[in-house]
Amino acid sequence: GDSVTQMEGPVTLSEEAFLTINCTYTATGYPSLFWYVQYPGEGLQLLLKATKADDKGSNKGFEATYRKETTSFHLEKGSVQVSDSAVYFCALSTGAGSYQLTFGKGTKLSVIP
Amino acid sequence: DGGITQSPKYLFRKEGQNVTLSCEQNLNHDAMYWYRQDPGQGLRLIYYSQIVNDFQKGDIAEGYSVSREKKESFPLTVTSAQKNPTAFYLCASSIGKNIQYFGAGTRLSVL
């Protein structure tokens, strides 16, 4: 079945450091890929998405590129801020008749001043 | 403002009791979903509904029930058959198979 594997956290960075959160997937067909962010005590918000190979999703300084050859969708940001502290989830949807999102376990990021 | 409203924010269940979590959306979305989130785990799908009066089981439907009598509403009942109900429950909605938008969640605990 479909699955998403994220790097385990927690990840602690100093403000202005470079961020990478690794995400790899296993899926049949051609999935769409997503990054969601969850701030403490809240629901999930879509951060960015990519729907086909080599697409780059970007939002709020975050970027991720859909790499079919390595089945990866790593999240990056050049300079993190304290306000980026949250849990980040990688997810996929196989489309093709499926309404279901498959999520990774999440990676908690803490940014310290 | 359009969005998804979940209530209550916190809920406590006694042994043998059924409890119902509310989810209302005013986004005019056709599809609605219920997920369960446990610490250190990703989200797991409980039920989803593509249209009114229709719903399908997700990966962990046992011990839960839903109804979809109105497009705007998709309540989740946690029945006494669910032996480990303590979790954070998230409702979401979407237009077809597009991006899912989430509510703020309900935290359920057992007394």
Side-chain angles (χ1 to χ4, degrees):
Chain A
D2 299 339
S3 66
V4 175
T5 303
Q6 288 181 236
M7 63 185 285
E8 293 198 12
V11 174
T12 302
L13 295 174
S14 296
E15 209 165 18
E16 299 183 2
F18 185 85
L19 169 71
T20 300
I21 300 178
N22 290 339
C23 171
T24 57
Y25 67 89
T26 303
T28 54
Y30 302 95
S32 294
L33 301 172
F34 306 86
W35 277 101
Y36 280 85
V37 58
Q38 183 179 34
Y39 298 102
E42 298 184 8
L44 275 66
Q45 303 174 24
L46 179 70
L47 183 59
L48 52 85
K49 67 168 185 162
T51 56
K52 61 183 188 296
D54 300 324
D55 267 2
K56 177 186 280 187
S58 62
N59 185 25
K60 299 181 182 179
F62 291 90
E63 293 183 339
T65 301
Y66 187 163
R67 302 285 188 202
K68 192 168 187 299
E69 63 276 13
T70 54
T71 62
S72 65
F73 193 54
H74 305 321
L75 182 68
E76 296 182 336
K77 187 176 185 184
S79 176
V80 294
Q81 306 300 313
V82 172
S83 57
D84 294 326
S85 298
V87 180
Y88 293 82
F89 291 92
C90 186
L92 70 82
S93 169
T94 53
S98 170
Y99 278 73
Q100 187 160 343
L101 279 177
T102 300
F103 286 87
K105 292 186 176 182
T107 302
K108 183 175 182 180
L109 170 67
S110 296
V111 180
I112 55 177
Chain B
D1 270 348
I4 301 173
T5 301
Q6 290 188 240
S7 62
K9 189 165 181 153
Y10 300 96
L11 186 59
F12 297 91
R13 192 190 90 166
K14 295 179 182 177
E15 287 289 335
Q17 186 182 40
N18 293 352
V19 292
T20 297
L21 285 62
S22 171
C23 178
E24 304 276 334
Q25 55 99 0
N26 60 5
L27 299 168
N28 200 32
H29 286 174
D30 297 309
M32 296 186 74
Y33 312 78
W34 276 105
Y35 291 92
R36 172 178 170 141
Q37 185 180 18
D38 294 284
Q41 301 292 318
L43 278 67
R44 292 181 290 168
L45 184 65
I46 305 172
Y47 271 97
Y48 68 99
S49 168
Q50 299 175 35
I51 55 172
V52 173
N53 292 323
D54 187 48
F55 48 82
Q56 284 78 41
K57 293 182 179 179
D59 297 324
I60 55 165
E62 186 174 348
Y64 300 96
S65 66
V66 293
S67 62
R68 186 87 187 276
E69 297 176 3
K70 298 187 299 181
K71 188 176 185 177
E72 304 80 22
S73 179
F74 191 41
L76 173 74
T77 296
V78 184
T79 74
S80 57
Q82 172 49 247
K83 297 307 179 189
N84 182 24
T86 297
F88 191 49
Y89 290 86
L90 288 160
C91 179
S93 70
S94 68
I95 298 174
K97 296 188 284 290
N98 273 310
I99 296 165
Q100 293 185 20
Y101 295 87
F102 286 79
T106 292
R107 190 165 298 281
L108 175 62
S109 302
V110 176
L111 289 176

